[in-house]
């Protein structure tokens, strides 16, 4: 150091002025005044000499915080004094300063002494420190992310370092989860790596040490499973790590430790399932064509006679000749890479020469670098019992389908025969009634009388011939208890897989059994007929979707009149199910005749007998059906079927039964005198004959076959009529409905039913009639029934004399 004066300082001033580094010079001889500021200083911080004429003014401007200013200035002047005393240079110090424009800057401040002058350099490092701070923030974020990843991954992360010449690697990093899994502290694990091995199960310890030592010696990837004891539990873990070498010969393994206890437990359960299912696991090495089986395969299924590793060719040779081609094609598809997995059922010869059905599930489990399959693996099940059961079920279904077809044919014939019988009985009623009236009015006992008797006898023979026709073509079907769920499944299976898929047929069943008292064939007929009608209810190109739902036990039937059938025992339990579709719905006029014979709902494609058979089944079984439909929005049919055996099954009136208390051997003249009887039948001849028979017994009888005006005739003067005589099945009107209408009048008019199909009168409608007679009826029975019916009405209505 040498003494310097303002004059001598001028020699270096020009050098300082041209420096690119901000420079300020203080003159200690003049109270630490600012002697010089170069252009770089003014440009960097904005201050000119007149802005900061002294060191004190400078400090007040650049260090606005008084405490920081005091601390910084004290430290800086102390360094200046030390430099003066010792000559030792102090390293530059970072100062936080504020420039003329109020911006906070970071400057690296250094100084040198030159006589009475202190030459100060200020290097602006604000940008560098900002970058460093940003990098530091990012570094901390990266550390936090890495920590979160290692702590939130399903296993524990670790890093082991093997230094050159060392035999055992040491832990360099351990995640908290790793330490928790092994019940270790960080100090224990890092200080002595062997402590981690102490957690290995005693039975696995030596093997675990061996495979780790081999990994470190050969510097290869590590993969292994073992049991550990930690937190008082035995758990399975799997460790996986990959090495990388550093330039100095150090090898680092970065890996993960995973708890696989649940996987091991699942494998044990799978093993149990495979054992129970008579299954075995196998692999095929496509390079050596070696077949390897799971360790337990001999106990699961034993059909290999040549040891544990048979050749692929011998394996194929035991496949059934009818199946071997398909099995080879499936194998080739896997080998060629055409498919990644396949399933196949085939037959194979066992060691006892029996053929067993096997179901194979196979897939490609390994590829070479070019993507070509190198290994196949799979599982094979012995499904012989299942196939046998399936074949039995298919046989049973085929028998049910055949029985259903026979039943449908029988019922179709029965419906046609019933209609024929109905028409024949109506004709015979006309013949026999006319003969009976003529016999009474013919005084000549000669040839004419004998001829009439022959006609009457022949008519009675015809009635006897057709009397049992219905029971011959439709025999009584035995009924017993069944589960409705099973019958619904079997019935829908008869629709065929194509129809089921096309119409998205869905079946919903409750968990608990639904008992029904039924014949399986008749219920299958009903299900199939309703389901087929539902499937065919859509529009061309817009198939209807069909849903069949069995309602829970205890569900109650609708509380209004059914559209078909009747509930014989309404107070007893019933099982309910619905058949719904998304079709076109049913219009009111079609609904009125839906269950009538020969009323087709499919145009020219239908016979008009399917739903008539349904109605007949419902009536004979004491079941009922309700329709809920909206045109254009689909239909739901609800069926209620008896859950137990019906009571009073003999209540349906037979041909020979007559529920009247008086019977006369002949119709005495005048026995019906004073009674006015309205006779209603859609056939005018039948109505006329019945009216004539009543008139011969003294009644005033009026025959009516124009059905539209019948209710009006009754309602206009109900007190006029003594008795109503009506048929049961008439176009647009049912006899039971007419009887209920007459019973609601004031006064009510009692009704006698005369029908050709008394076998179809259900118990629910018997109470609507005072008597039920079967056509053809003679005068005595008819007159007695009318007289008995009239006696139920008080006062008795008679015509005036």
């Amino acid at each position: 150091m040498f003494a310097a004066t303002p004059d001598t300082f001028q020699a270096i001033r020009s050098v300082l002025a041209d420096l690119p580094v901000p420079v300020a010079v203080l003159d200690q001889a003049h109270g630490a005044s600012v002697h010089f500021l170069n252009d770089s200083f003014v440009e960097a911080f904005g201050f000119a000499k007149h802005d900061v004429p002294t060191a004190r003014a400078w400090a007040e401007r650049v260090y606005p915080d008084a405490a920081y200013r005091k601390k910084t200035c004290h430290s800086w002047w102390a360094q200046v004094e030390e430099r003066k005393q010792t000559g030792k240079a102090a390293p530059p110090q970072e100062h936080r300063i504020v420039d003329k424009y109020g911006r906070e800057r970071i400057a690296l401040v250094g100084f040198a002494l030159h006589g009475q002058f202190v030459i100060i350099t200020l290097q602006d490092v604000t940008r560098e420190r900002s970058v460093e701070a940003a990098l530091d923030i990012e570094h901390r974020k990266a550390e936090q992310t890495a920590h979160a990843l290692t702590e939130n991954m399903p296993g524990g992360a670790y890093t082991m370092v093997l230094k050159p010449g060392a035999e055992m690697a040491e832990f360099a990093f351990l995640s908290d989860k790793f330490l928790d899994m092994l019940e270790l502290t960080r100090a224990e694990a890092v200080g002595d790596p062997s402590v981690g091995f102490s957690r290995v199960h005693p039975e696995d310890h030596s093997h675990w040490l061996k495979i780790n030592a081999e990994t470190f010696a050969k510097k290869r990837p590590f993969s292994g499973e073992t049991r550990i004891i930690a937190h008082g539990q035995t758990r399975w873990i799997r460790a996986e790590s990959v090495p990388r070498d550093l330039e100095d010969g150090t090898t680092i393994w970065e890996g993960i430790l995973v708890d696989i206890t649940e996987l091991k437990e699942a494998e044990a359960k799978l093993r149990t399932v495979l054992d129970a299912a008579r299954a075995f696991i196998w692999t095929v090495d496509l390079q050596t064509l070696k077949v390897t089986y799971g360790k337990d395969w001999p106990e699961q299924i034993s059909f290999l006679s040549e040891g544990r590793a048979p050749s692929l060719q011998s394996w194929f040779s035991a496949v059934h000749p009818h199946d071997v081609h398909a099995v080879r094609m499936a194998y080739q598809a896997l080998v060629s890479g055409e498919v990644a997995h396949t399933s196949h059922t085939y037959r194979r010869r066992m060691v006892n020469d029996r053929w067993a059905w096997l179901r194979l599930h196979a897939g490609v489990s390994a590829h070479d670098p070019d993507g070509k399959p190198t290994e196949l693996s799979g599982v094979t099940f012995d499904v012989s019992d299942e196939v046998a059961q399936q074949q039995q079920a298919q046989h049973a279904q085929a028998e049910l389908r055949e029985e259903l077809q026979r039943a449908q044919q029988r019922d179709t014939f029965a419906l046609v025969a019933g209609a024929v019988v109905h028409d024949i009985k109506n004709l015979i009623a006309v013949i026999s009634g006319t003969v009976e009236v003529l016999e009474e009015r013919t005084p000549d006992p000669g040839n004419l009388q004998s001829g009439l008797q022959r006609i009457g006898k022949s008519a009675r023979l015809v009635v006897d011939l057709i009397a049992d026709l219905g029971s011959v073509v439709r025999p009584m079907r035995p009924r017993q208890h069944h589960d409705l769920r099973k019958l619904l499944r079997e019935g829908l299976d008869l629709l065929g897989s194509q129809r089921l898929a096309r119409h998205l047929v869905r079946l919903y069943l409750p968990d608990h059994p639904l008992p029904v008292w039924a014949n399986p064939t008749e219920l299958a007929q009903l299900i199939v007929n309703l389901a087929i009608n539902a499937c065919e209810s859509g529009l061309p190109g817009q198939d209807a979707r069909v849903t069949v739902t069995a309602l829970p036990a205890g569900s109650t039937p609708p509380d209004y009149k059914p559209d078909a059938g009747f509930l014989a025992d309404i107070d007893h339990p019933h099982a309910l199910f619905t058949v719904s579709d998304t079709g076109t719905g049913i219009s009111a006029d079609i609904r009125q005749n839906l269950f009538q014979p020969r009323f087709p709902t499919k145009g020219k494609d239908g016979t008009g007998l399917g739903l008539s058979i349904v109605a007949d089944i419902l009536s004979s079984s004491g079941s009922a059906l309700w329709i809920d439909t909206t045109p254009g929005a689909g239909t739901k049919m609800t069926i209620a079927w008896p859950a137990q055996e019906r009571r009073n099954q003999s209540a349906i009136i037979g041909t020979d039964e007559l529920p009247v208390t008086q019977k006369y051997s002949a119709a005495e003249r005048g026995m019906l005198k004073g009674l006015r009887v309205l006779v209603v039948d859609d056939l005018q001849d039948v109505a006329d004959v019945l009216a004539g028979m009543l008139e011969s017994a003294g009644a005033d009888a009026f025959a009516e076959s124009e059905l539209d005006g019948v209710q009006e005739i009754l309602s206009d003067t109900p007190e006029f009529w003594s008795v109503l005589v009506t048929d049961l099945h008439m176009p647009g009107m049912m006899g039971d409905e007419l009887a209920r209408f007459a019973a609601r009048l004031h006064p009510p008019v009692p009704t006698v039913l005369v029908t050709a199909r008394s076998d179809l009168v259900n118990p629910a409608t018997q109470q609507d009639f005072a008597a039920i007679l079967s056509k053809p009826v003679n005068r005595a029975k008819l007159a007695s029934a009318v007289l008995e019916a009239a006696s139920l009405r008080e006062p008795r209505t008679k015509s005036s004399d």
Side-chain angles (χ1 to χ4, degrees):
M1 184 176 299
F2 57 90
T5 64
D7 293 335
T8 59
F9 181 76
Q10 293 298 327
I12 62 172
R13 178 175 180 150
S14 60
V15 176
L16 297 176
D18 294 335
L19 286 177
V21 178
V23 176
V25 179
L26 299 180
D27 186 351
Q28 296 186 84
H30 293 84
S33 62
V34 175
H35 182 73
F36 170 75
L37 299 173
N38 70 355
D39 292 340
S40 295
F41 184 97
V42 175
E43 182 179 352
F45 302 107
F47 294 114
K49 185 177 178 181
H50 63 271
D51 294 319
V52 285
T54 64
R56 183 182 183 86
W58 159 262
E60 290 176 349
R61 294 291 297 273
V62 299
Y63 306 126
D65 182 83
Y68 182 75
R69 181 171 64 244
K70 180 178 180 180
K71 176 182 177 182
T72 302
C73 291
H74 177 77
S75 173
W76 189 78
W77 284 112
Q79 291 178 3
V80 171
E81 288 300 320
E82 183 180 359
R83 178 72 179 272
K84 288 180 181 180
Q85 298 297 326
T86 63
K88 183 179 179 181
Q93 302 290 320
E94 282 191 7
H95 291 190
R96 289 185 290 107
I97 66 175
V98 177
D99 64 13
K100 182 177 180 179
Y101 309 108
R103 295 173 299 183
E104 186 173 295
R105 316 290 288 279
I106 299 176
L108 195 61
V109 181
F111 70 93
L113 299 179
H114 190 74
Q116 69 189 61
F117 298 105
V118 180
I119 302 173
I120 305 170
T121 60
L122 296 93
Q123 183 180 355
D124 187 351
V125 294
T126 304
R127 184 183 300 275
E128 289 81 353
R129 295 299 179 263
S130 298
V131 172
E132 290 174 357
L135 290 175
D136 185 59
I137 291 172
E138 291 301 319
H139 179 70
R140 287 197 297 272
K141 287 182 179 179
E143 287 183 340
Q144 293 171 354
T145 301
H147 181 269
L149 288 174
T150 57
E151 294 308 320
N152 292 315
M153 63 173 53
Y158 66 92
T159 301
M160 299 192 77
V161 177
L162 181 65
K163 296 180 180 179
E167 295 182 357
M168 185 66 69
E170 297 178 351
F171 288 114
F173 168 77
L174 296 169
S175 70
D176 291 342
K177 183 164 289 188
F178 181 99
L179 295 171
D180 180 67
M181 289 172 65
L182 296 180
E183 196 181 1
L184 294 172
T185 65
R186 196 173 301 278
E188 288 174 334
V190 175
D192 184 3
S194 63
V195 175
F197 293 108
S198 68
R199 298 296 189 264
V200 178
H201 195 282
E203 295 179 3
D204 303 342
H205 191 269
S206 59
H207 176 71
W208 191 250
L209 286 176
K210 178 182 177 182
I211 61 177
N212 273 274
E214 292 176 351
T215 298
F216 297 145
K218 298 179 180 181
K219 298 184 177 181
R220 64 189 183 188
F222 179 81
S223 177
E225 297 176 358
T226 188
R227 290 170 292 172
I228 63 169
I229 301 176
H231 301 292
Q233 294 181 322
T234 299
R235 310 283 296 178
W236 277 93
I237 61 164
R238 181 174 185 84
E240 300 275 354
S241 62
V242 179
R244 58 186 177 92
D245 295 328
L246 303 183
E247 293 181 357
D248 64 355
T250 300
T251 302
I252 299 176
W253 280 266
E254 294 168 326
I256 185 171
L257 192 70
V258 182
D259 188 326
I260 59 170
T261 305
E262 293 184 358
L263 176 62
K264 286 292 185 180
E265 292 173 348
E267 287 179 350
K269 292 179 181 178
L270 176 61
R271 182 81 274 150
T272 302
V273 171
L274 292 177
D275 289 343
R278 305 182 308 282
F280 61 92
I281 301 173
W282 51 265
T283 59
V284 177
D285 188 327
L286 297 180
Q287 296 175 333
T288 64
L289 299 183
K290 178 182 177 182
V291 183
T292 305
Y293 292 90
K295 60 182 180 180
D296 296 328
W297 72 264
E299 289 74 32
Q300 296 166 355
I301 180 169
S302 140
F303 60 81
L304 301 172
S305 58
E306 53 183 271
R308 296 183 63 86
S311 67
L312 196 61
Q313 182 59 38
S314 65
W315 185 84
F316 278 116
S317 66
V319 177
H320 194 283
H322 291 171
D323 302 332
V324 68
H325 176 70
V327 173
R328 285 187 179 276
M329 293 297 293
Y331 169 77
Q332 290 297 332
L334 288 171
V335 172
S336 65
E338 181 181 348
V339 297
H341 50 80
T342 187
S343 297
H344 201 75
T345 302
Y346 64 98
R347 288 161 290 181
R348 198 182 192 286
R349 187 186 299 279
M350 301 299 191
V351 292
N352 57 4
D353 284 338
R354 76 175 180 90
W355 291 103
W357 281 95
L358 305 178
R359 181 172 294 127
L360 172 147
H361 300 275
V364 178
S365 52
H367 300 79
D368 64 13
D370 297 329
K372 183 179 179 181
T374 59
E375 181 184 82
L376 305 181
S377 61
V379 59
T380 300
F381 297 85
D382 183 350
V383 294
S384 301
D385 293 343
E386 290 83 347
V387 171
Q389 293 173 2
Q390 184 179 24
Q391 290 174 342
Q392 291 176 359
Q394 290 173 345
H395 179 69
Q397 187 182 62
E399 288 186 340
L400 179 60
R401 192 184 301 275
E402 291 178 3
E403 173 58 25
L404 182 66
Q405 291 174 346
R406 289 193 296 269
Q408 197 80 348
Q409 291 170 354
R410 285 196 303 266
D411 286 349
T412 299
F413 182 67
L415 282 174
V416 174
V420 172
V421 168
H422 176 272
D423 293 344
I424 290 176
K425 284 188 174 183
N426 276 327
L427 295 174
I428 295 300
V430 173
I431 295 171
S432 61
T434 303
V435 167
E436 195 167 356
V437 171
L438 290 176
E439 284 179 336
E440 181 179 342
R441 296 179 180 179
T442 302
D444 181 15
N447 294 333
L448 181 59
Q449 188 76 11
S450 61
L452 292 173
Q453 291 175 352
R454 285 194 299 273
I455 295 173
K457 182 177 180 181
S458 297
R460 287 191 294 274
L461 288 174
V462 172
V463 173
D464 292 339
L465 287 173
I466 65 175
D468 296 327
L469 183 60
S471 61
V472 172
V473 297
R474 186 191 286 119
M476 290 296 295
R477 296 168 181 165
R479 296 188 178 100
Q480 56 187 2
H481 282 111
H482 295 275
D483 187 347
L484 177 61
R485 301 177 304 170
K486 178 176 181 292
L487 299 182
L488 286 173
R489 280 192 294 264
E490 292 176 348
L492 291 184
D493 286 343
L494 296 174
L495 297 180
S497 57
Q498 185 175 359
R499 181 182 273 115
L500 291 173
R502 178 179 177 182
H503 297 280
L504 299 177
V505 179
R506 297 290 182 264
L507 175 62
Y508 297 99
L509 303 173
D511 296 332
H512 302 292
L514 293 174
V516 289
W517 180 258
N519 176 274
T521 302
E522 66 181 2
L523 194 48
Q525 280 183 272
L526 182 138
I527 295 167
V528 169
N529 275 299
L530 293 181
I532 289 177
N533 266 43
C535 289
E536 296 177 353
S537 66
L539 295 171
Q542 186 178 346
D543 294 327
R545 297 188 301 275
V546 178
T547 302
V548 178
T549 304
L551 304 185
S555 300
T556 57
D559 58 359
Y560 52 92
K561 180 185 175 183
D563 290 85
F566 64 95
L567 296 184
D569 297 319
I570 194 169
D571 295 329
H572 281 211
H574 292 79
L576 276 70
F577 66 96
T578 62
V579 179
S580 305
D581 65 67
T582 59
T584 58
I586 303 172
S587 62
D589 55 336
I590 291 179
R591 179 175 180 175
Q592 184 177 1
N593 298 289
L594 192 61
F595 297 97
Q596 296 301 317
R598 300 186 296 278
F599 184 80
T601 59
K602 308 181 187 70
K604 296 180 180 179
D605 298 330
T607 64
L609 296 175
L611 290 180
S612 184
I613 291 175
V614 167
D616 192 43
I617 292 173
L618 291 168
S619 296
S620 65
S621 62
S623 307
L625 178 148
W626 293 262
I627 298 175
D628 182 10
T629 184
T630 301
T635 299
K636 180 175 76 173
M637 294 195 178
T638 301
I639 299 90
W641 197 279
Q644 60 189 34
E645 187 174 2
R646 287 172 51 193
R647 301 171 300 177
N648 303 324
Q649 295 197 61
S650 61
I652 296 180
I653 301 298
T655 302
D656 298 329
E657 295 179 273
L658 181 64
V660 294
T661 58
Q662 300 182 45
K663 291 188 178 181
Y664 298 87
S665 59
E668 299 178 357
R669 284 187 176 273
M671 68 179 294
L672 300 182
K673 185 178 180 180
L675 297 183
R676 289 185 287 269
V677 183
L678 178 62
V679 180
V680 179
D681 197 296
D682 56 308
L683 297 177
Q684 185 65 51
D685 288 343
V686 174
D688 288 341
V689 168
L690 293 177
M693 294 170 70
L694 293 173
E695 287 178 342
S696 68
D700 292 328
F702 302 85
E704 183 60 63
S705 60
E706 296 294 332
L707 305 179
D708 292 341
V710 170
Q711 291 186 356
E712 185 178 354
I713 292 173
L714 287 169
S715 60
D716 283 349
T717 54
E719 69 282 352
F720 178 81
W721 300 106
S722 307
V723 177
L724 168 67
V725 176
T726 181
D727 192 10
L728 181 61
H729 297 97
M730 299 176 289
M733 179 181 295
M734 295 293 291
D736 54 348
E737 294 178 358
L738 183 59
R740 285 191 290 271
F741 174 81
R744 292 194 297 269
L745 298 175
H746 298 286
V749 180
T751 303
V752 172
L753 176 66
V754 181
T755 175
R757 296 299 304 275
S758 59
D759 57 312
L760 297 183
V761 180
N762 64 63
T765 60
Q766 289 181 37
Q767 61 185 1
D768 297 326
F769 303 106
I772 300 175
L773 304 178
S774 179
K775 294 177 181 177
V777 62
N778 59 44
R779 287 177 301 171
K781 285 186 177 181
L782 179 60
S784 297
V786 169
L787 184 62
E788 181 73 12
S791 68
L792 301 177
R793 184 177 181 185
E794 294 295 344
R796 182 173 174 181
T797 303
K798 289 189 176 184
S799 59
S800 57
D801 293 336

